[in-house]
Amino acid sequence: CWVCWVCWVCLGVCGKFESTIRVFNTVYSIVKKRRPFTDLPFDIQLQKLNRLDMGRILHSDHACADIASHITIEMKAKITNFLVKNNFKIAVLIDEATSVSKKTCLVVCIRASIDVKNEKDPITFFLDLIELENTKFETIVLQLLSSLNKHKFSHEYLIQNCICFACDGASNMIGQKAGVGKLLTDKYSDLLVCIALITDLNLLLMM
């Protein structure tokens, strides 16, 4: 009958991707445990010894890196869509860093409280790594807002739900007359600008 045929097709599709699903689950486990990508070939071999079909491809450390990146993008999109859909309040945390190629980058993280009633801890996750054209505060704000918009945080959403901006104490970040914080508060009047104390603590420990 038609129903049996549909069930047979669904089982065939599931069986076709079963080995790929196992590989993806293995990669997720490696990343979750903060293990190196080079663990994947050994984990695959172990599962083969346990007589599991792991397919013939996606077994290298390079494949592990690509799969981990794909999983990250999908999980990040799911979280951001959930925050936007439910109008949860967010805080934007940024810090300047230097890439392997010695270029100035901006690390952007999001902190959000998704269950205030039950007093659960807020979630914090990495959003983006932006390669800056220069370190002028106007450029930083422009590229930051562009990144937020790219991840579905629209201007209207930020006006209503972005309540805090945290950064280090650099002059181009928190200057009273000109800085990233000043420019953002001009756009979002209810925004609270604060200095990330952990950055100052790290600098003190290094002295």
Side-chain angles (χ1 to χ4, degrees):
C1 65
W2 181 81
V3 176
C4 293
W5 181 82
V6 171
C7 293
W8 178 81
V9 171
C10 291
L11 288 172
V13 171
C14 292
K16 182 179 179 181
F17 295 105
E18 191 173 354
S19 61
T20 305
I21 293 171
R22 290 195 184 106
V23 173
F24 270 61
N25 287 336
T26 305
V27 172
Y28 180 81
S29 175
I30 288 172
V31 176
K32 188 76 173 178
K33 293 184 292 186
R34 300 181 182 181
R35 296 293 304 165
F37 295 149
T38 49
D39 276 11
L40 181 62
F42 301 102
D43 289 353
I44 295 292
Q45 186 62 32
L46 174 62
Q47 294 183 71
K48 284 183 175 180
L49 291 174
N50 290 329
R51 298 185 178 181
L52 286 174
D53 179 17
M54 300 300 293
R56 297 183 178 181
I57 58 175
L58 305 176
H59 295 173
S60 68
D61 56 330
H62 298 287
C64 186
D66 292 338
I67 294 170
S69 177
H70 173 75
I71 293 173
T72 302
I73 291 170
E74 292 300 317
M75 291 181 68
K76 192 189 307 178
K78 187 174 181 179
I79 294 173
T80 54
N81 288 336
F82 177 72
L83 294 176
V84 172
K85 182 180 178 181
N86 293 280
N87 281 318
F88 286 122
K89 305 298 182 183
I90 65 168
V92 178
L93 297 81
I94 68 170
D95 194 18
E96 290 184 57
T98 305
S99 66
V100 178
S101 56
K102 305 298 182 183
K103 294 184 178 179
T104 304
C105 297
L106 193 70
V107 181
V108 183
C109 294
I110 298 293
R111 190 171 177 84
S113 183
I114 60 174
D115 196 348
V116 179
K117 292 182 180 179
N118 295 322
E119 298 183 355
K120 289 187 177 181
D121 292 335
I123 60 169
T124 305
F125 63 95
F126 167 79
L127 184 72
D128 204 356
L129 181 66
I130 307 169
E131 188 175 296
L132 295 174
E133 297 173 3
N134 55 65
T135 55
K136 294 180 179 179
F137 69 90
E138 300 97 333
T139 304
I140 293 175
V141 171
L142 182 65
Q143 291 191 249
L144 173 62
L145 294 179
S146 176
S147 173
L148 291 172
N149 186 255
K150 180 181 70 175
H151 290 92
K152 310 302 180 183
F153 295 117
S154 65
H155 177 66
E156 293 74 18
Y157 173 85
L158 293 174
I159 290 176
Q160 296 180 6
N161 299 293
C162 187
I163 59 174
C164 182
F165 168 74
C167 60
D168 59 17
S171 58
N172 66 331
M173 290 291 180
I174 59 166
Q176 293 183 354
K177 295 183 179 180
V180 175
K182 178 65 169 61
L183 202 56
L184 287 175
T185 51
D186 289 342
K187 291 178 178 290
Y188 312 108
S189 56
D190 295 331
L191 189 68
L192 173 66
V193 177
C194 61
I195 300 174
L197 297 179
I198 192 66
T199 302
D200 294 343
L201 178 61
N202 287 336
L203 290 174
L204 287 171
L205 292 173
M206 291 172 62
M207 292 177 64

